[in-house]
Amino acid sequence: MSVELTGAEITIRCLQEEGVECIFGYPGGAVLFIYDELFKQDKVRHILVRHEQAAVHAADGYARSSNKVGVALVTSGPGVTNAVTGIATAYMDSIPLVIISGQVPTSAIGLDAFQEVDTVGITRPCVKHNFLVSDINELAITMKKAFYIASTGRPGPVLVDIPKDVTQQKAVFDYPDKVSMRSYNPVVKGNAKQIKKAVDLILSAKRPVVYTGGGVILSDAAKLLTELTKMLNYPCTNTLMGLGGFPATDEQFIGMLGMHGTYEANMAMQYCDVLIAVGARFDDRVIGNPKHFSNENRKIIHIDIDPSSISKRVKVDIPIVGNVPDVLKELIRLLKSVKEEPDQNALREWWNQIDLWRARDCLKYDRASSIIKPQMVVEKLYEVTKGDAFVTSDVGQHQMWAAQFYKFDKPRRWINSGGLGTMGFGMPAAMGVQLANPRAKVACVTGEASIQMCIQELSTCKQYKLPLKIVNLNNRYMGMVRQWQEFFHGNRYSESYMDALPDFIKLAESYGHVGMRIERPEDIEGALKEAFKLKDRLVFLDFLTDQTENVFPMVPGGKGLSEMILV
């Protein structure tokens, strides 16, 4: 006998059917029936954040570190508008999320009802897809579609807007095992002829580079990428979002590329003759000015699941649309089956050139300084955690130093906002990471400006006993803003100085956490070791760092990859 359930019950049953273990949210009038059903069950754990932006960032961190779909639940009106920053962050970085939002009753939609906004209209530009469920009979199939769309093809956030009356109405619950959509059929297998062309071009290379992005991480292709790169003995560079896709401690790794990439990575990208781009999109922070990049003659192979990303900014020679692991498997199979191998003499000459570029030591800094250098804090964090921590960050100088100096050998360990550049992302994302990986070491590398964007989440960390280590690189400035003002605005530090900072130690302690202030370089390692010994406590480490330190190398906006500022 079929049993009728309310829309609220159906919503929770759908989450259970999808195997969702944890959701992040904040209640409000339009979603109270859903919250009532959450209260009645124990399969789906709810984490109460202190701001809806943090709910989506936490779901985002959960998804990035676990390869599961992250789920957030917010109410209508200001609840969903608060969530938009988190949704846009996930959209720019292709993170699989399902956001469930409440809406005013269907009869009130369009009448400027209390806490009504056009959620579908507002979020349309920053979601992979969204739905307004106006019929209770469509709720279950819509939820199934949402999870399917979010997690397949190029992943992304999907929003399901549910009016309050729909959560009260009843219908027979029938959750399908699978779903097919005529208008949505992502390509998985790459074109065989294109892959064969790619193999021929790879074997002909004399100055090759493997360039990889976040698509390698999101598709769990890191092992295959490493196998391919090691087999060819080609140099490999990762984007900011691709760090961990190839082991950073491997000799073939030439560092991150782009605006704050290494000299050797940027020069190799600019002067290679064959470029193998895998799960990357040639964005402005990676290749700089596309006209400058196109000045050098090279052949480009581009592998990506999203056809719209191919030849979007840079024209490529061999496009391969397909799921990265599937394409890499076929590439490896074909390369193993042919008797040819790359020109080893040319490859040795290329590596000699790369080693000359490496000798510039572009990441050097003053290690004898009596003031704490932020780079040293990140290096010590790497040593103390033995390179095995999950590291989240906010956005700015500290983000770049974390990317440059923490050597990520594994995928899904580096969690940051790349495309949108969202201040406030770091701590809530770390919460999601910790909940997805409860026994792991989780560090949030942040700055005194970014951390205050979502500082209220210290309360959430206290409630759920999340033992994060907050590494605050405190230079009393909006550091990256100040750096740009120094370089390009005549040292006019307009509104970038933070002259009313809280006492972060007292603030952390007021939330029930441990606070440490570190002012001398010789105390860095000891403080970090002490913090990680406190396995069940959140520790806020406030490092007072050099206010004048800048991130190098730097490719100025509008310039090319080889036009770096090195000192």
Side-chain angles (χ1 to χ4, degrees):
M1 180 179 175
S2 300
V3 179
E4 288 192 334
L5 302 178
T6 66
E9 290 175 305
I10 289 171
T11 302
I12 301 306
R13 284 288 300 274
C14 291
L15 296 179
Q16 293 172 347
E17 291 289 333
E18 288 292 335
V20 174
E21 298 173 348
C22 185
I23 69 170
F24 304 85
Y26 201 94
V31 287
L32 285 183
F33 286 100
I34 296 175
Y35 270 90
D36 198 35
E37 294 307 321
L38 272 171
F39 183 84
K40 296 174 185 176
Q41 56 84 57
D42 59 5
K43 290 183 179 178
V44 179
R45 184 185 185 192
H46 180 274
I47 303 299
L48 176 66
V49 296
R50 291 349 185 223
H51 191 284
E52 291 89 352
Q53 178 180 339
V56 185
H57 288 333
D60 186 322
Y62 186 95
R64 293 189 202 223
S65 64
S66 68
N67 194 24
K68 298 176 182 177
V69 177
V71 183
L73 172 60
V74 300
T75 194
S76 64
V80 77
T81 57
N82 281 346
V84 167
T85 297
I87 296 169
T89 299
Y91 178 71
M92 289 289 281
D93 290 346
S94 304
I95 307 305
L97 301 183
V98 170
I99 302 95
I100 302 167
S101 60
Q103 183 55 274
V104 300
T106 51
S107 60
I109 292 175
L111 301 179
D112 295 331
F114 176 66
Q115 292 194 331
E116 179 193 1
V117 296
D118 178 5
T119 298
V120 168
I122 287 171
T123 60
R124 184 175 287 118
C126 61
V127 293
K128 187 175 178 184
H129 196 64
N130 58 19
F131 298 93
L132 171 62
V133 183
S134 55
D135 182 351
I136 178 68
N137 295 297
E138 295 295 318
L139 179 55
I141 186 66
T142 299
M143 290 290 288
K144 185 69 179 180
K145 288 178 180 178
F147 278 90
Y148 173 64
I149 294 170
S151 59
T152 56
R154 180 179 180 175
V158 177
L159 182 136
V160 181
D161 199 31
I162 310 176
K164 187 170 184 177
D165 58 320
V166 173
T167 67
Q168 296 171 270
Q169 295 163 4
K170 287 192 172 184
V172 173
F173 176 66
D174 181 18
Y175 200 66
D177 293 329
K178 58 183 179 179
V179 66
S180 63
M181 302 171 67
R182 188 173 60 183
S183 60
Y184 178 71
N185 291 292
V187 174
V188 175
K189 300 290 184 182
N191 182 282
K193 289 182 179 178
Q194 292 294 90
I195 295 174
K196 178 64 172 66
K197 286 181 184 177
V199 167
D200 293 340
L201 183 57
I202 288 169
L203 292 172
S204 73
K206 299 185 184 305
R207 302 186 310 279
V209 167
V210 179
Y211 148 59
T212 79
V216 169
I217 308 295
L218 293 169
S219 63
D220 283 336
K223 286 185 178 179
L224 287 166
L225 173 79
T226 302
E227 181 183 349
L228 174 69
T229 307
K230 297 298 290 181
M231 182 172 70
L232 294 168
N233 192 30
Y234 286 178
C236 182
T237 180
N238 297 157
T239 66
L240 178 72
M241 299 307 299
L243 293 175
F246 185 82
T249 55
D250 193 286
E251 275 297 307
Q252 286 175 239
F253 185 62
I254 55 176
M256 180 178 74
L257 80 161
M259 178 172 279
H260 296 293
T262 65
Y263 184 70
E264 54 268 29
N266 285 348
M267 294 296 281
M269 274 287 288
Q270 186 66 14
Y271 295 111
C272 65
D273 70 336
V274 172
L275 180 60
I276 307 163
V278 187
R281 56 191 180 91
F282 294 89
D283 69 272
D284 58 305
R285 290 294 171 109
V286 167
I287 63 160
N289 188 331
K291 289 184 179 178
H292 180 277
F293 187 71
S294 299
N295 282 342
E296 297 298 324
N297 186 27
R298 69 179 75 73
K299 297 291 185 181
I300 301 175
I301 300 161
H302 192 179
I303 303 165
D304 204 287
I305 188 96
D306 181 7
S308 72
S309 290
I310 295 179
S311 291
K312 187 174 185 177
R313 296 192 77 241
V314 172
K315 190 177 186 309
V316 305
D317 300 279
I318 302 178
I320 303 174
V321 178
N323 190 34
V324 170
D326 291 276
V327 176
L328 290 182
K329 282 178 189 173
E330 185 62 11
L331 268 178
I332 291 167
R333 187 189 71 78
L334 287 176
L335 283 164
K336 285 180 176 177
S337 69
V338 298
K339 295 180 180 179
E340 297 175 61
E341 64 173 25
D343 184 333
Q344 296 303 310
N345 289 329
L347 193 56
R348 273 192 294 272
E349 287 181 19
W350 181 230
W351 273 114
N352 288 338
Q353 176 60 71
I354 289 171
D355 287 339
L356 288 174
W357 288 328
R358 272 178 170 164
R360 295 289 294 268
D361 193 14
C362 65
L363 298 181
K364 62 179 178 290
Y365 66 92
D366 181 8
R367 297 175 182 274
S369 172
S370 60
I371 305 172
I372 292 177
K373 294 292 185 179
Q375 301 96 319
M376 183 174 286
V377 177
V378 178
E379 285 188 325
K380 291 297 181 185
L381 176 65
Y382 173 76
E383 291 172 14
V384 167
T385 61
K386 298 180 174 59
D388 201 36
F390 287 84
V391 179
T392 73
S393 83
D394 280 289
V395 170
Q397 288 181 317
H398 63 270
Q399 176 191 27
M400 294 301 114
W401 285 317
Q404 290 174 335
F405 289 93
Y406 199 100
K407 299 179 181 67
F408 294 97
D409 278 346
K410 299 176 184 177
R412 298 190 183 274
R413 295 302 180 99
W414 169 233
I415 314 292
N416 80 119
S417 169
L420 197 66
T422 307
M423 293 173 71
F425 175 84
M427 182 164 54
M431 295 177 348
V433 172
Q434 191 75 79
L435 285 156
N437 306 272
R439 289 178 292 279
K441 297 184 182 78
V442 181
C444 170
V445 177
T446 185
E448 76 293 332
S450 284
I451 193 64
Q452 292 189 85
M453 291 280 185
C454 285
I455 195 76
Q456 74 283 340
E457 297 310 312
L458 286 171
S459 177
T460 306
C461 293
K462 178 63 176 176
Q463 179 174 346
Y464 298 99
K465 299 180 175 60
L466 302 179
L468 311 180
K469 311 309 174 199
I470 310 294
V471 179
N472 188 37
L473 303 182
N474 186 348
N475 62 10
R476 286 79 75 203
Y477 273 104
M478 297 178 200
M480 192 59 84
V481 173
R482 182 204 58 75
Q483 179 168 333
W484 279 65
Q485 288 172 334
E486 177 185 333
F487 288 5
F488 311 118
H489 298 278
N491 295 297
R492 292 181 295 277
Y493 302 129
S494 176
E495 304 300 328
S496 59
Y497 180 62
M498 306 291 287
D499 58 358
L501 290 173
D503 182 329
F504 287 110
I505 307 311
K506 289 181 179 178
L507 183 60
E509 290 172 349
S510 75
Y511 278 102
H513 303 303
V514 176
M516 298 180 185
R517 181 175 291 107
I518 303 94
E519 301 183 43
R520 302 186 306 168
E522 56 266 33
D523 296 332
I524 296 172
E525 185 174 350
L528 287 166
K529 284 182 176 179
E530 184 179 350
F532 280 98
K533 281 180 183 176
L534 299 172
K535 296 183 185 297
D536 59 348
R537 299 294 299 278
L538 183 147
V539 183
F540 194 114
L541 298 112
D542 190 24
F543 292 93
L544 300 187
T545 63
D546 189 341
Q547 290 186 284
T548 65
E549 193 68 18
N550 290 319
V551 180
F552 294 109
M554 180 178 182
V555 178
K559 297 293 185 180
L561 275 181
S562 60
E563 299 177 294
M564 288 165 277
I565 301 172
L566 292 175
V567 289

